[in-house]
Structures are given as structure tokens and as C-alpha cells.
Amino acid sequence: RKGANRRLMIKTDAFEFKYILKGTIEYQVEKEKFILNEGDSLFFDGRARHRLHNIGRGEAVILVVYIF
């Protein structure tokens, strides 16, 4: 949803692939921030602390794949 923001950093036990289908997302992995727009992707080790924030003007849709 517009303005969605995960305030706490989380971790998972998987590698994570994110593909932005719609919108603009700021993804933070540890101390590094990435601005992702429609068509962009991000792949990282989910054991690293991470969070996201919808910084776009509207709804965002993200395809998420967990690889264990």
C-alpha cells in the first residue's frame, strides 16, 4: 500500500529475490539502500538485516522468491 514502511530490520534463512512489478520501493540491506522501480530486481542473502519502504506515489507490487 502507498507509504508502507517496515520499521524494523528483519532476517530470513533464505536467499531472497525481489522483482518490482509496479511502483517504487526503497530496499535497505544492512546499511546500503537501493531504489527499485518497475522492472528492477534485487538478490541478496536474507540473513543480512533488511527492510523495505514504498516511496512511490501509489501502490507497489513485488514478486518475492525465497531460495532455501
Side-chain angles (χ1 to χ4, degrees), residues 21-57:
L21 296 168
K22 177 182 175 183
T24 302
I25 297 291
E26 177 186 86
Y27 228 96
Q28 181 177 352
V29 180
E30 294 292 344
K31 294 181 180 180
E32 193 167 2
K33 292 183 179 180
F34 304 91
I35 304 298
L36 304 172
N37 296 293
E38 185 175 320
D40 290 340
S41 62
L42 181 65
F43 181 77
F44 62 94
D45 186 338
R47 294 175 294 182
R49 296 176 323 125
H50 57 281
R51 67 179 171 186
L52 74 144
H53 180 197
N54 180 354
I55 61 172
R57 295 183 178 192

Side-chain angles (χ1 to χ4, degrees), residues 5-23:
N5 186 15
R6 176 173 285 150
R7 297 186 190 281
L8 299 176
M9 301 286 273
I10 64 165
K11 294 181 180 183
T12 63
D13 290 329
F15 286 92
E16 297 190 23
F17 174 77
K18 314 289 183 173
Y19 181 80
I20 309 305
L21 296 168
K22 177 182 175 183

